[in-house]
Amino acid sequence: MDLHNIRESYNFDSLEEAKIDSNPMVQFSNWFSQYKALGIKDYNAMAISTIRNNEPDCRIVLLKKITDCGLVFYSNYKSVKGRSLSENPNISALFFWREQERQVRINGVVSKLSIKESSTYFKKRPYLSQIGAAASNQSDHIDSRTALENKFEKFRQAFPEGTEVPMPTDWGGYLIKPLKFEFWQGREGRLHDRIVFTSGQNCWNKHRIQP
Ligand SMILES: Cc1cc2nc3c(=O)[nH]c(=O)nc-3n(C[C@H](O)[C@H](O)[C@H](O)COP(=O)(O)O)c2cc1C
């Protein structure tokens, strides 16, 4: 398949220093809210990259909370990403908002949420998602789909709907504390706007980079 002739032009918006918030978390929230308003399915999806044994690995997770301190997502602590993050807490998160011709890159470090915080969210999840999380040793080998469904069914019977499904001990939230942001806005002629924020001592340093 030859994709060389695919061409798009970008002219949805521009990103001038004067209109960017001096706090990149606020700028991120502003852009996120604008994208959210479009009502696109999985608008809170982000790609997160981790590194283990020098090997980069990337997958989609759902952003569940934006706070002044950073970004929250949930996963299995013993999954491939969980094991990677326990060895190396550095993470890169990526958002691609095609309709607005925007990309946001965030590099930072993760820490685990407290069990109480994770459990508060776990209890709010739909019943089948709770059972799914309990029944899955995420990223581990399983012999067949049938074996997986049997495992699911076992948990369903042990914890019928209406009873409390215990939060798996290996499941919980991560907080990404951002150390670097890049806001990218597509422009005509590939002269895209790119504004980078790096964390300094109690402040953020902002500068423009070439497209
Ligand atoms: C739209 C979408 C949302 C997802 N959300 C999550 C999530 O919030 N948490 C999670 O652990 N995996 C989520 N996944 C699955 C991950 O992409 C991945 O398959 C899983 O976490 C195992 O990754 P790992 O083996 O690298 O640890 C999502 C996948 C997609 C496509």
Side-chain angles (χ1 to χ4, degrees), residues 60-78:
I60 298 286
V61 293
L62 296 178
L63 174 63
K64 286 294 178 176
K65 199 172 176 188
I66 304 172
T67 74
D68 291 347
C69 303
L71 312 180
V72 170
F73 68 95
Y74 294 84
S75 195
N76 184 302
Y77 293 144
K78 290 256 173 77

Side-chain angles (χ1 to χ4, degrees), residues 3-82:
L3 307 173
H4 284 89
N5 288 329
I6 295 178
R7 300 261 180 281
E8 291 290 351
S9 53
Y10 301 97
N11 44 31
F12 176 80
D13 202 356
S14 62
L15 187 58
E16 281 120 39
E17 281 78 350
K19 47 180 207 188
I20 304 174
D21 199 283
S22 56
N23 180 339
M25 275 310 295
V26 175
Q27 177 64 30
F28 173 76
S29 297
N30 292 345
W31 267 18
F32 185 81
S33 301
Q34 290 169 19
Y35 189 63
K36 178 174 181 259
L38 300 182
I40 290 164
K41 186 176 178 185
D42 290 332
Y43 63 83
N44 57 334
M46 59 178 178
I48 52 159
S49 297
T50 54
I51 302 174
R52 193 166 186 228
N53 300 332
N54 244 356
E55 188 186 330
D57 211 355
C58 187
R59 77 290 280 159
I60 298 286
V61 293
L62 296 178
L63 174 63
K64 286 294 178 176
K65 199 172 176 188
I66 304 172
T67 74
D68 291 347
C69 303
L71 312 180
V72 170
F73 68 95
Y74 294 84
S75 195
N76 184 302
Y77 293 144
K78 290 256 173 77
S79 63
V80 165
K81 83 182 83 47

Side-chain angles (χ1 to χ4, degrees):
M1 194 184 309
D2 186 348
L3 307 173
H4 284 89
N5 288 329
I6 295 178
R7 300 261 180 281
E8 291 290 351
S9 53
Y10 301 97
N11 44 31
F12 176 80
D13 202 356
S14 62
L15 187 58
E16 281 120 39
E17 281 78 350
K19 47 180 207 188
I20 304 174
D21 199 283
S22 56
N23 180 339
M25 275 310 295
V26 175
Q27 177 64 30
F28 173 76
S29 297
N30 292 345
W31 267 18
F32 185 81
S33 301
Q34 290 169 19
Y35 189 63
K36 178 174 181 259
L38 300 182
I40 290 164
K41 186 176 178 185
D42 290 332
Y43 63 83
N44 57 334
M46 59 178 178
I48 52 159
S49 297
T50 54
I51 302 174
R52 193 166 186 228
N53 300 332
N54 244 356
E55 188 186 330
D57 211 355
C58 187
R59 77 290 280 159
I60 298 286
V61 293
L62 296 178
L63 174 63
K64 286 294 178 176
K65 199 172 176 188
I66 304 172
T67 74
D68 291 347
C69 303
L71 312 180
V72 170
F73 68 95
Y74 294 84
S75 195
N76 184 302
Y77 293 144
K78 290 256 173 77
S79 63
V80 165
K81 83 182 83 47
R83 287 192 295 258
S84 303
L85 288 169
S86 67
E87 286 173 20
N88 181 345
N90 293 308
I91 191 164
S92 179
L94 178 72
F95 297 82
F96 172 44
W97 296 326
R98 188 188 56 194
E99 291 71 12
Q100 293 156 332
E101 301 164 358
R102 289 172 177 167
Q103 170 181 252
V104 182
R105 293 159 75 175
I106 300 176
N107 290 355
V109 285
V110 293
S111 54
K112 286 181 183 174
L113 296 191
S114 68
I115 293 174
K116 194 167 159 231
E117 283 173 289
S118 294
S119 153
T120 303
Y121 172 63
F122 186 79
K123 288 193 180 110
K124 287 190 196 147
R125 299 185 86 205
Y127 169 69
L128 291 181
S129 306
Q130 293 183 349
I131 292 290
S136 169
N137 299 105
Q138 194 177 54
S139 315
D140 281 3
H141 167 85
I142 190 148
D143 284 338
S144 65
R145 173 84 203 176
T146 308
L148 182 64
E149 286 174 6
N150 289 345
K151 228 173 140 201
F152 186 85
E153 210 37 55
K154 224 177 83 191
F155 275 88
R156 219 169 145 154
Q157 280 169 21
F159 307 103
E161 193 153 12
T163 62
E164 191 179 328
V165 181
M167 182 176 79
T169 50
D170 294 328
W171 189 93
Y174 287 101
L175 172 73
I176 304 177
K177 180 184 175 231
L179 298 171
K180 182 180 175 187
F181 288 80
E182 181 197 318
F183 295 92
W184 184 100
Q185 178 73 59
R187 298 292 303 273
E188 290 274 357
R190 301 294 183 264
L191 281 185
H192 313 303
D193 287 322
R194 298 179 70 191
I195 305 289
V196 172
F197 287 78
T198 49
S199 71
Q201 280 188 340
N202 301 320
C203 67
W204 286 98
N205 301 310
K206 180 176 77 179
H207 69 113
R208 178 178 286 269
I209 58 174
Q210 299 180 42

